[in-house]
Amino acid sequence: MVIDKEMFKMDYVEKLQTMFAEDAIDASPLHQYYALGALVKDYCSKPWIESNNEYGKNRGKQVYYFSMEFLVGRLLNSNLVNLGIKDVCDKALSELGISLIEVEDIEADAGLGNGGLGRLAACFLDSMASTQVPGHGCGIRYKYGLFKQKIEGGYQVEVPDNWLKNGNAWEIRKESKSVEVKFAGDVHLEVVGGVTKVVYENYQVVRAVPYDTPIKGYHNNTVNTLRLWSAETMEEDFDFSSFSQGNYAKAGENKYSAEAISQILYPDDSYEKGKLLRLKQEYFFVSAGLQSILRNYKKKKITIKEFHKHIAVQINDTHPAVAVAELMRLLIDEENLSWDDAWYITTKTMAYTNHTIMAEALEKWPVDMFKRLLPRIYMIVEEINRRFCNEVYHRYNGDWNKVNKMSIIYDGYVRMAYLAIVGGHSVNGVAKLHTELLKHQELSDFYEFFPEKFNNQTNGITHRRWLLNSNEKLAKLITGTIGNEWIKSPNKLEKLMGFAKDSAFQEKIQNIKTNNKINFSNYVLANYGTSIDPSSIFDVHVKRMHSYKRQTLNVLHIMHLYNQLRENPNFDMVPRTFIFGAKASPSYYIAKQGIKLINTLANKINNDPIARDKIKILFMENYGVSLAEKIIPCADVSEQISTASKEASGTGNMKFMMNGAITIATLDGANVEIFDAVGKENIILFGLTAPQVIEYYKNKNYNSYDIYNSDLRVNTVLNHLINGFLETPNNEFMGLYDSLLSHNDEYFVLKDFDAYVNAHSEIDRLYRQKSIWQQMSIINIAKSGIFSSDNTIKKYAKEIWETPPVNIKL
Ligand SMILES: *Cc1c(COP(=O)(O)O)cnc(C)c1O
């Protein structure tokens, strides 16, 4: 589709008139935005229909990415770029007296995720469409995204993220595609004419209504679908007689209980064993998604026995793992297949991605609750488990210990990861190190049993959002230097290696970074009233707040730097701006103390004449996708300092690298692969390795007090947490202090302190050598192409899904 500026202007003016009966110049910014969104959606609609038609006719295979989270962010800019009409739009609007940048700013972030896991799902959507993989997203349309974070008096305060308040320009409600999802009730088997039938009655029905969002590929005609399900009451469930008698609360009971399912996104770590609503959410979108896939499939008139040849389902973490049992239910109860046929199809369809080895994040549900909420599904899980345990028992000559260790149902719980492993054909980790840890530690019994199922798929990021769109100047320089092939073939970034030592190119890279830093400083001053120095090192630590991610280590180092300055005001260091952004889960006490600590320290240091020209601390509230797009292009240093073995992959690390930041890193997650790609000269490594950490846990021979007692620097900064130095009540940071000492520093913050301090001195030393620093920066950009999610998706498509690209013609 070729759209020129004049056409665009006409279309846009007409849109404003038909939607709002307004002229361009009179329209409010909100209306300007909605008209633009509607127009861009119109431009997507023809290729969208064409894609759906092609997929409908096509006898090939489609993949559905099931995920509890999609951290999409904004879509206007990326849709304009992928359609190839960004410049046309920009010029057309400006001739109408409208600023595209200002209009873009109106869009609310679709913040339907906590962090990396949800953002990965969003990057995959972009890459599937851009590499012509027929792949769709399936999830929940939460009415509220993750909370909006405010900082008040240094504390995190959570406010609802009412992202749909002004509507959503991209989604289309597909009423006619609604399905019913059933909960609770009674199940029994009945033999009718020699055939056993399942009778399910007295259940509650929730209506699942899909909202579809087009996912437009980059400069192709592929438009895939992100289908998010909203929970609604069945009309007949509205209790009219109670309402008419004035009993509104009773009348609304069913309505609220149904709609609660798609009200909120759970903050990351707060699902303890008993969150009934969470399990409801999981079954709700999985059941709705599979029902709609099956309905579409049946339109093709292919035998149900070939389902797995046409459909692949990727289970993103354990949250959608109940899909294994739900597909079994649909195939057996609704499609009348035998258990064996259904099992064959299910295991060939399902594939599971593991995202963490942290025990507290591996979901398990109390049997009582599971059985009450999903009685038929529980029966199926029991039967899957009975058969599986039987196999294990025979393979290991009656070793009950092995059976207990691997049983899906054990000790009163249903272990969802095990269900996903047993019920699928693929189990993947998300970085090489992580996959090895799964194979040889956390899931070693399963690796021994099903070695063929295990594979690695290192995470990736869409280089279009994280470089082309968010760092336009750098993208232009790259295109001007090596041509534009890298946009479709990100590995071509490697061509920049030829310019790593080129001093003219180095200078251009530096100028762009400086320019980004100046713009960001202006933004910070205008919006936060804090002035930061663009010539200082921007040292950035943005990600969820979590003990294993060790924001605390960063903070203790800053406290130590501060102490050095207090001792010696002439202490020689390149000025640094430490930038943080992080949300803490509302119930995560230590994480919240961490946020308060950063802000307390910022207040103290930023106002201390001894330090403020050398150290600045900035805590950016409400970290999310749009803020990440602003911060990452101006980072000099990327903090990726998790306790080795704890970060499955990380994707923030990749975004920073791609924008030329130098990583200070532990050998954890994908940091290991960044190190392999750039070599030891171009990354600053420090700290314990994963095997060392694991040894300490095993031998229990780490004692954090030893370090506290022997390292005066550590001693001083820890005392400063609780002795009034920070001018807060003495117990303000007691929890943090205790976690590091009396609870023996589970994440080895003190153990890695010395190495971390040295790593930062190394950064200081390297930064002074402009040419070396820029060379490192260029090498990082040049090697970052391998982390494009285009590569990741191609590998999933080839090794797990077996979905060849489908070319959509208009
Ligand atoms: C990339 C991203 C993350 C993941 O960051 P990690 O450093 O890998 O934890 C989290 N939140 C947002 C908004 C992101 O864009």
Side-chain angles (χ1 to χ4, degrees):
M1 185 171 35
V2 187
I3 298 152
D4 66 22
K5 190 185 66 188
E6 292 311 314
M7 245 170 89
F8 191 95
K9 249 162 68 176
M10 258 165 50
D11 287 352
Y12 182 62
V13 168
E14 191 181 312
K15 229 351 153 227
L16 271 170
Q17 289 169 346
T18 50
M19 284 179 81
F20 302 112
E22 283 171 343
D23 284 330
I25 207 71
D26 301 328
S28 68
L30 190 64
H31 286 178
Q32 290 172 349
Y33 165 71
Y34 275 108
L36 186 56
L39 180 59
V40 170
K41 197 167 65 183
D42 282 358
Y43 291 149
C44 290
S45 63
K46 203 160 167 233
W48 199 6
I49 294 168
E50 211 38 63
S51 300
N52 283 332
N53 286 344
E54 182 59 38
Y55 298 158
K57 286 195 302 242
N58 187 292
R59 298 262 156 154
K61 199 169 179 185
Q62 293 183 73
V63 54
Y64 294 85
Y65 197 81
F66 276 42
S67 180
M68 195 82 174
E69 302 185 9
F70 286 92
L71 191 49
V72 172
R74 291 172 172 163
L75 281 176
L76 178 58
N77 186 55
S78 81
N79 281 337
L80 286 170
V81 171
N82 288 4
L83 282 162
I85 56 170
K86 169 103 191 257
D87 287 344
V88 164
C89 169
D90 197 6
K91 292 200 183 91
L93 290 194
S94 97
E95 287 180 16
L96 293 168
I98 298 172
S99 145
L100 176 58
I101 293 182
E102 281 170 27
V103 173
E104 278 173 356
D105 231 23
I106 309 246
E107 183 172 359
D109 264 44
L112 308 183
N114 278 286
L117 176 145
R119 184 53 232 173
L120 182 77
C123 282
F124 280 6
L125 292 177
D126 183 72
S127 284
M128 288 194 288
S130 295
T131 58
Q132 301 186 308
V133 170
H136 314 285
C138 175
I140 298 176
R141 180 180 179 269
Y142 301 102
K143 188 161 172 202
Y144 298 99
L146 192 64
F147 62 87
K148 200 162 133 193
Q149 179 192 55
K150 296 231 144 116
I151 300 298
E152 286 174 15
Y155 297 100
Q156 167 174 298
V157 176
E158 301 100 24
V159 244
D161 170 23
N162 193 358
W163 71 294
L164 291 168
K165 183 177 59 191
N166 294 319
N168 173 348
W170 308 111
E171 66 184 14
I172 298 175
R173 181 181 164 94
K174 292 276 168 84
E175 186 83 36
S176 68
K177 307 250 161 113
S178 302
V179 299
E180 294 180 4
V181 179
K182 296 170 183 161
F183 293 99
D186 311 305
V187 182
H188 62 269
L189 301 178
E190 249 174 45
V191 183
V192 185
V195 186
T196 309
K197 279 265 152 218
V198 176
V199 180
Y200 185 19
E201 38 192 23
N202 304 324
Y203 46 75
Q204 296 155 14
V205 186
V206 173
R207 203 156 72 103
V209 183
Y211 285 72
D212 287 357
T213 298
I215 304 295
K216 175 76 185 68
Y218 177 78
H219 291 198
N220 63 23
N221 295 316
T222 301
V223 182
N224 291 334
T225 301
L226 169 59
R227 174 161 282 184
L228 299 178
W229 296 92
S230 178
E232 300 185 3
T233 343
M234 303 296 289
E235 241 156 64
E236 56 271 30
D237 280 358
F238 185 71
D239 183 349
F240 189 82
S241 76
S242 294
F243 190 86
S244 60
Q245 288 161 25
N247 195 345
Y248 307 124
K250 180 157 189 306
E253 241 168 49
N254 287 328
K255 183 172 157 69
Y256 290 127
S257 110
E259 290 177 4
I261 293 174
S262 54
Q263 286 288 316
I264 66 143
L265 162 71
Y266 275 112
D268 191 60
D269 63 355
S270 65
Y271 59 83
E272 320 86 43
K273 287 132 212 158
K275 287 255 156 89
L276 180 67
L277 184 58
R278 170 94 180 184
L279 181 57
K280 263 191 183 171
Q281 290 183 321
E282 294 180 356
Y283 182 68
F284 168 76
F285 90 92
V286 161
S287 176
L290 287 174
Q291 288 185 57
S292 90
I293 291 168
L294 198 60
R295 188 165 62 189
N296 264 329
Y297 177 78
K298 285 163 74 172
K299 284 194 204 147
K300 294 197 186 194
K301 309 263 182 257
I302 315 172
T303 160
I304 192 75
K305 294 201 171 166
E306 295 196 346
F307 186 81
H308 56 284
K309 294 187 183 163
H310 303 277
I311 304 290
V313 171
Q314 191 68 34
I315 297 175
N316 192 30
D317 212 335
T318 52
H319 322 137
V322 69
V324 167
E326 174 65 1
L327 185 56
M328 287 297 284
R329 182 188 73 79
L330 289 167
L331 294 175
I332 295 171
D333 296 359
E334 315 264 323
E335 303 301 323
N336 300 312
L337 291 187
S338 70
W339 179 278
D340 289 339
D341 285 346
W343 185 243
Y344 182 82
I345 293 168
T346 298
T347 50
K348 291 265 180 299
T349 302
M350 298 290 161
Y352 159 59
T353 303
N354 174 289
H355 280 270
T356 180
I357 60 168
M358 308 244 292
E360 64 267 31
L362 287 175
E363 285 181 303
K364 38 183 200 165
W365 296 108
V367 164
D368 294 348
M369 190 174 114
F370 197 101
K371 206 163 153 177
R372 233 181 309 121
L373 186 69
L374 308 170
R376 175 60 183 146
I377 293 296
Y378 185 72
M379 271 173 123
I380 293 171
V381 173
E382 259 186 331
E383 181 60 14
I384 292 172
N385 193 44
R386 192 187 63 77
R387 289 169 184 242
F388 174 62
C389 287
N390 211 9
E391 270 184 66
V392 175
Y393 183 83
H394 287 292
R395 173 93 68 98
Y396 294 105
N397 301 317
D399 180 349
W400 276 108
N401 186 33
K402 205 64 167 178
V403 174
N404 285 339
K405 271 163 72 185
M406 298 176 74
S407 181
I408 297 167
I409 302 169
Y410 182 70
D411 198 20
Y413 288 96
V414 184
R415 302 195 276 207
M416 300 307 277
Y418 296 2
L419 178 62
I421 296 168
V422 174
H425 62 95
S426 166
V427 179
N428 76 279
V430 290
K432 284 178 189 160
L433 172 66
H434 170 59
T435 301
E436 289 309 304
L437 291 173
L438 288 181
K439 279 163 37 177
H440 303 295
Q441 311 265 341
E442 309 307 311
L443 299 176
S444 58
D445 292 323
F446 287 92
Y447 178 56
E448 193 180 287
F449 199 84
F450 301 119
E452 71 290 349
K453 289 191 186 186
F454 283 73
N455 61 90
N456 175 248
Q457 307 295 335
T458 299
N459 282 169
I461 55 167
T462 163
H463 62 290
R464 284 169 295 272
R465 179 174 292 260
W466 297 106
L467 172 54
L468 181 68
N469 300 348
S470 60
N471 198 344
E472 284 183 359
K473 293 196 191 79
L474 180 57
K476 283 215 172 80
L477 173 64
I478 293 171
T479 297
T481 310
I482 60 168
N484 66 4
E485 279 173 311
W486 66 276
I487 303 172
K488 286 219 163 196
S489 312
N491 291 18
K492 291 267 158 58
L493 284 171
E494 177 97 29
K495 284 189 181 171
L496 289 172
M497 286 303 283
F499 298 85
K501 289 182 190 302
D502 178 330
S503 59
F505 188 71
Q506 288 177 355
E507 202 176 313
K508 286 181 191 155
I509 288 283
Q510 180 175 1
N511 288 342
I512 285 167
K513 185 70 79 183
T514 304
N515 210 292
N516 290 343
K517 287 161 75 177
I518 292 171
N519 290 341
F520 183 72
S521 305
N522 293 337
Y523 168 82
V524 169
L525 187 61
N527 292 278
Y528 298 84
T530 310
S531 91
I532 56 177
D533 174 8
S535 69
S536 63
I537 298 176
F538 280 18
D539 185 324
V540 185
H541 203 165
V542 289
K543 48 184 77 240
R544 281 181 298 123
M545 195 81 191
H546 203 292
S547 297
Y548 87 80
K549 290 178 181 281
R550 297 202 297 190
Q551 283 92 350
T552 314
L553 178 57
N554 189 340
V555 174
L556 295 185
H557 168 248
I558 301 172
M559 291 174 74
H560 169 60
L561 274 183
Y562 181 43
N563 288 340
Q564 283 175 290
L565 279 172
R566 290 190 316 123
E567 254 169 48
N568 170 15
N570 297 321
F571 174 70
D572 184 25
M573 62 175 279
V574 182
R576 286 243 198 160
T577 302
F578 293 95
I579 299 171
F580 292 88
K583 288 180 182 174
S585 182
S587 61
Y588 192 170
Y589 176 65
I590 294 287
K592 288 185 143 178
Q593 286 204 342
I595 290 176
K596 172 65 177 163
L597 175 59
I598 295 169
N599 287 305
T600 302
L601 201 62
N603 198 28
K604 186 165 178 74
I605 294 181
N606 296 356
N607 293 307
D608 184 342
I610 290 178
R612 68 182 172 207
D613 296 331
K614 296 270 177 62
I615 306 176
K616 265 277 158 64
I617 302 176
L618 182 64
F619 187 95
M620 306 283 296
E621 71 186 0
N622 203 33
Y623 181 59
V625 175
S626 290
L627 191 53
E629 289 168 18
K630 280 200 174 71
I631 293 174
I632 292 170
C634 54
D636 296 303
V637 175
S638 159
E639 297 273 352
Q640 307 300 337
I641 62 175
S642 54
T643 310
S645 80
K646 297 290 181 187
E647 187 74 87
S649 164
T651 48
N653 45 5
M654 302 167 183
K655 299 168 196 163
F656 282 100
M657 171 197 193
M658 195 172 270
N659 284 273
I662 306 305
T663 315
I664 179 167
T666 46
L667 274 173
D668 200 17
N671 298 348
V672 178
E673 286 155 75
I674 294 178
F675 163 66
D676 288 342
V678 301
K680 67 177 190 315
E681 266 74 52
N682 300 298
I683 183 170
I684 312 295
L685 293 178
F686 75 96
L688 294 176
T689 61
Q692 288 171 331
V693 167
I694 290 163
E695 274 302 293
Y696 275 120
Y697 283 137
K698 205 163 77 195
N699 301 331
K700 301 187 175 16
N701 55 349
Y702 170 55
N703 182 355
S704 63
Y705 270 108
D706 291 345
I707 298 173
Y708 176 76
N709 291 329
S710 63
D711 188 329
L712 188 60
R713 302 166 302 178
V714 171
N715 194 286
T716 310
V717 294
L718 287 192
N719 290 345
H720 280 173
L721 289 178
I722 55 160
N723 66 6
F725 175 79
L726 293 171
E727 295 153 66
T728 55
N730 287 352
N731 59 1
E732 179 90 80
F733 302 117
M734 202 47 129
L736 254 178
Y737 177 89
D738 281 341
S739 76
L740 294 171
L741 289 171
S742 44
H743 301 149
N744 201 29
D745 186 18
E746 191 184 343
Y747 297 100
F748 300 96
V749 172
L750 306 191
K751 182 77 188 164
D752 276 346
F753 180 83
D754 177 61
Y756 185 62
V757 171
N758 293 337
H760 270 298
S761 314
E762 182 66 5
I763 284 185
D764 184 281
R765 191 181 70 77
L766 288 166
Y767 192 80
R768 294 168 197 250
Q769 301 164 265
K770 287 288 169 217
S771 167
I772 295 201
W773 186 269
Q774 293 314 325
Q775 180 181 323
M776 292 168 72
S777 176
I778 295 163
I779 292 172
N780 271 273
I781 300 166
K783 297 288 185 182
S784 70
I786 56 171
F787 296 109
S788 165
S789 45
D790 287 8
N791 289 321
T792 316
I793 282 300
K794 282 181 184 155
K795 201 163 166 288
Y796 271 89
K798 182 156 174 276
E799 296 175 9
I800 302 178
W801 306 331
E802 300 177 34
T803 45
V806 176
N807 190 28
I808 308 293
K809 291 188 212 70
L810 284 189

